[in-house]
Amino acid sequence: MKKNVFLQIAMIIFTSLLSMSSFAESKQSTMQFPDSSYTYAKLQPSYAQCIQKSDSVTFKLNDCITEEFDYHQKRVHRYFENIINLPDSVSKDKLMNEIADWWVNTKKYCTSEILDEQSCNLNRIANLADKIQND
């Protein structure tokens, strides 16, 4: 029972951190990123197809980003749940700290024009999903 309550609390905290990154204050789009995880990620082929079909219409681009983001967010939640269920250990604590730092840095650097910010958040969550899938 305790583990289930802990998992629910952890998921609420994790989701809160995730949502906070989308409401970060605007900064200049010329900001330099610490690494390529802000600007590049392995995304689904369907995302590229969606972008191509959007004809560069903002609301259609936004829909593509949102759909892909939701896919990777579900992956992160699934992998995060697996991490939470691991026995307590130094390596688990280290991974949890890395994930928390990941979101703090996402909030810090993914701030600019709306589509750029969404794209940055998408890249970050896709890369996080890949990272924690492999840990």
Side-chain angles (χ1 to χ4, degrees):
M1 183 69 173
K2 270 186 176 179
K3 195 175 213 178
N4 193 22
V5 170
F6 178 72
L7 177 61
Q8 288 175 337
I9 292 169
M11 290 305 286
I12 289 168
I13 292 169
F14 180 74
T15 303
S16 296
L17 287 171
L18 189 58
S19 358
M20 286 189 324
S21 69
S22 3
F23 295 110
E25 293 179 19
S26 293
K27 293 183 181 177
Q28 291 183 359
S29 60
T30 58
M31 176 178 271
Q32 296 295 316
F33 297 117
D35 60 58
S36 64
S37 70
Y38 297 85
T39 56
Y40 174 78
K42 296 176 195 167
L43 303 174
Q44 300 179 97
S46 59
Y47 176 71
Q49 294 166 356
C50 185
I51 294 295
Q52 189 174 20
K53 291 179 185 176
S54 74
D55 296 324
S56 298
V57 176
T58 301
F59 77 88
K60 290 180 181 179
L61 289 168
N62 186 47
D63 288 347
C64 296
I65 292 169
T66 299
E67 185 177 319
E68 186 73 3
F69 184 90
D70 289 346
Y71 167 79
H72 292 289
Q73 183 178 30
K74 287 176 186 168
R75 290 178 60 216
V76 167
H77 283 194
R78 188 172 59 245
Y79 304 141
F80 188 73
E81 188 173 316
N82 292 339
I83 293 166
I84 292 295
N85 290 323
L86 292 172
D88 290 338
S89 68
V90 172
S91 60
K92 176 182 175 180
D93 289 345
K94 181 180 177 202
L95 183 56
M96 295 292 284
N97 288 337
E98 288 175 15
I99 292 169
D101 289 345
W102 186 273
W103 288 115
V104 167
N105 288 328
T106 298
K107 180 181 175 189
K108 179 179 178 180
Y109 290 103
C110 289
T111 57
S112 63
E113 298 300 318
I114 188 81
L115 288 176
D116 291 338
E117 180 179 337
Q118 289 173 325
S119 179
C120 180
N121 281 311
L122 172 58
N123 288 325
R124 292 290 286 174
I125 198 163
N127 285 314
L128 177 60
D130 289 345
K131 177 190 177 359
I132 63 178
Q133 175 183 12
N134 298 322
D135 279 343

Short mmCIF file of all heavy atoms in Angstrom, two decimals, residues 8 12 15 27 38 43 46 58 95 98-99 102-103 111 130:
data_model
loop_
_atom_site.label_atom_id
_atom_site.label_comp_id
_atom_site.label_asym_id
_atom_site.label_seq_id
_atom_site.Cartn_x
_atom_site.Cartn_y
_atom_site.Cartn_z
N GLN A 8 2.05 7.23 -6.57
CA GLN A 8 1.10 8.28 -6.95
C GLN A 8 1.66 9.66 -6.65
O GLN A 8 1.56 10.56 -7.47
CB GLN A 8 -0.22 8.07 -6.21
CG GLN A 8 -1.01 6.88 -6.72
CD GLN A 8 -2.27 6.64 -5.88
OE1 GLN A 8 -2.34 7.04 -4.73
NE2 GLN A 8 -3.24 5.97 -6.49
N ILE A 12 2.66 12.59 -9.40
CA ILE A 12 2.10 13.94 -9.32
C ILE A 12 3.22 14.98 -9.34
O ILE A 12 3.15 15.96 -10.09
CB ILE A 12 1.23 14.10 -8.05
CG1 ILE A 12 -0.06 13.29 -8.20
CG2 ILE A 12 0.92 15.56 -7.77
CD1 ILE A 12 -0.87 13.14 -6.93
N THR A 15 4.74 15.01 -12.89
CA THR A 15 3.86 15.67 -13.84
C THR A 15 3.87 17.18 -13.60
O THR A 15 3.84 17.95 -14.56
CB THR A 15 2.42 15.11 -13.72
OG1 THR A 15 2.48 13.71 -13.93
CG2 THR A 15 1.50 15.73 -14.73
N LYS A 27 12.52 33.99 -22.93
CA LYS A 27 13.88 34.52 -23.04
C LYS A 27 14.17 34.66 -24.52
O LYS A 27 13.43 34.17 -25.36
CB LYS A 27 14.89 33.58 -22.38
CG LYS A 27 14.71 33.48 -20.88
CD LYS A 27 15.78 32.61 -20.28
CE LYS A 27 15.56 32.51 -18.79
NZ LYS A 27 16.51 31.62 -18.16
N TYR A 38 18.47 19.52 -26.50
CA TYR A 38 17.46 20.57 -26.59
C TYR A 38 17.00 20.78 -28.03
O TYR A 38 15.93 21.33 -28.26
CB TYR A 38 18.01 21.89 -26.05
CG TYR A 38 18.38 21.83 -24.59
CD1 TYR A 38 19.63 21.37 -24.19
CD2 TYR A 38 17.48 22.25 -23.62
CE1 TYR A 38 19.96 21.31 -22.84
CE2 TYR A 38 17.81 22.19 -22.27
CZ TYR A 38 19.05 21.72 -21.90
OH TYR A 38 19.37 21.66 -20.56
N LEU A 43 12.65 11.05 -33.16
CA LEU A 43 11.20 11.13 -33.09
C LEU A 43 10.59 10.12 -34.04
O LEU A 43 11.26 9.59 -34.92
CB LEU A 43 10.74 12.56 -33.41
CG LEU A 43 11.36 13.64 -32.50
CD1 LEU A 43 10.98 15.03 -32.99
CD2 LEU A 43 10.96 13.44 -31.06
N SER A 46 6.00 9.23 -37.96
CA SER A 46 4.70 9.88 -38.10
C SER A 46 4.78 11.38 -37.78
O SER A 46 4.01 12.18 -38.31
CB SER A 46 3.65 9.21 -37.21
OG SER A 46 4.05 9.26 -35.85
N THR A 58 0.63 27.24 -38.21
CA THR A 58 1.01 27.18 -36.80
C THR A 58 0.17 26.21 -35.99
O THR A 58 0.70 25.38 -35.25
CB THR A 58 0.96 28.59 -36.17
OG1 THR A 58 1.84 29.44 -36.89
CG2 THR A 58 1.38 28.55 -34.71
N LEU A 95 19.83 8.33 -10.27
CA LEU A 95 18.98 8.45 -11.46
C LEU A 95 17.82 9.42 -11.20
O LEU A 95 17.51 10.26 -12.05
CB LEU A 95 18.45 7.09 -11.89
CG LEU A 95 17.60 7.05 -13.16
CD1 LEU A 95 18.34 7.67 -14.35
CD2 LEU A 95 17.21 5.60 -13.47
N GLU A 98 19.17 12.86 -11.42
CA GLU A 98 19.42 13.22 -12.82
C GLU A 98 18.13 13.62 -13.52
O GLU A 98 18.12 14.57 -14.30
CB GLU A 98 20.09 12.06 -13.56
CG GLU A 98 21.52 11.82 -13.17
CD GLU A 98 22.11 10.58 -13.85
OE1 GLU A 98 21.53 10.08 -14.83
OE2 GLU A 98 23.16 10.12 -13.38
N ILE A 99 17.06 12.89 -13.26
CA ILE A 99 15.77 13.20 -13.87
C ILE A 99 15.26 14.56 -13.38
O ILE A 99 14.79 15.38 -14.17
CB ILE A 99 14.74 12.08 -13.60
CG1 ILE A 99 15.15 10.81 -14.34
CG2 ILE A 99 13.33 12.52 -13.99
CD1 ILE A 99 14.36 9.57 -13.94
N TRP A 102 17.23 17.17 -15.03
CA TRP A 102 16.83 17.23 -16.44
C TRP A 102 15.68 18.22 -16.61
O TRP A 102 15.70 19.07 -17.49
CB TRP A 102 16.42 15.83 -16.89
CG TRP A 102 16.12 15.70 -18.34
CD1 TRP A 102 14.92 15.93 -18.95
CD2 TRP A 102 17.01 15.28 -19.37
NE1 TRP A 102 15.01 15.68 -20.29
CE2 TRP A 102 16.29 15.28 -20.58
CE3 TRP A 102 18.35 14.91 -19.38
CZ2 TRP A 102 16.86 14.91 -21.78
CZ3 TRP A 102 18.91 14.55 -20.59
CH2 TRP A 102 18.17 14.54 -21.76
N TRP A 103 14.68 18.13 -15.73
CA TRP A 103 13.51 19.02 -15.83
C TRP A 103 13.83 20.44 -15.43
O TRP A 103 13.31 21.39 -16.03
CB TRP A 103 12.33 18.46 -15.04
CG TRP A 103 11.78 17.28 -15.76
CD1 TRP A 103 11.76 16.00 -15.34
CD2 TRP A 103 11.24 17.27 -17.09
NE1 TRP A 103 11.23 15.19 -16.31
CE2 TRP A 103 10.89 15.94 -17.39
CE3 TRP A 103 11.00 18.25 -18.04
CZ2 TRP A 103 10.33 15.57 -18.61
CZ3 TRP A 103 10.44 17.88 -19.26
CH2 TRP A 103 10.12 16.55 -19.53
N THR A 111 12.79 28.12 -23.37
CA THR A 111 11.94 29.31 -23.27
C THR A 111 12.22 30.24 -24.43
O THR A 111 13.33 30.73 -24.58
CB THR A 111 12.20 30.05 -21.95
OG1 THR A 111 13.58 30.38 -21.88
CG2 THR A 111 11.83 29.20 -20.74
N ASP A 130 14.30 8.08 -23.89
CA ASP A 130 15.35 7.18 -24.37
C ASP A 130 16.37 6.90 -23.26
O ASP A 130 16.80 5.76 -23.09
CB ASP A 130 16.07 7.77 -25.58
CG ASP A 130 15.21 7.77 -26.83
OD1 ASP A 130 14.16 7.08 -26.86
OD2 ASP A 130 15.58 8.48 -27.79
#
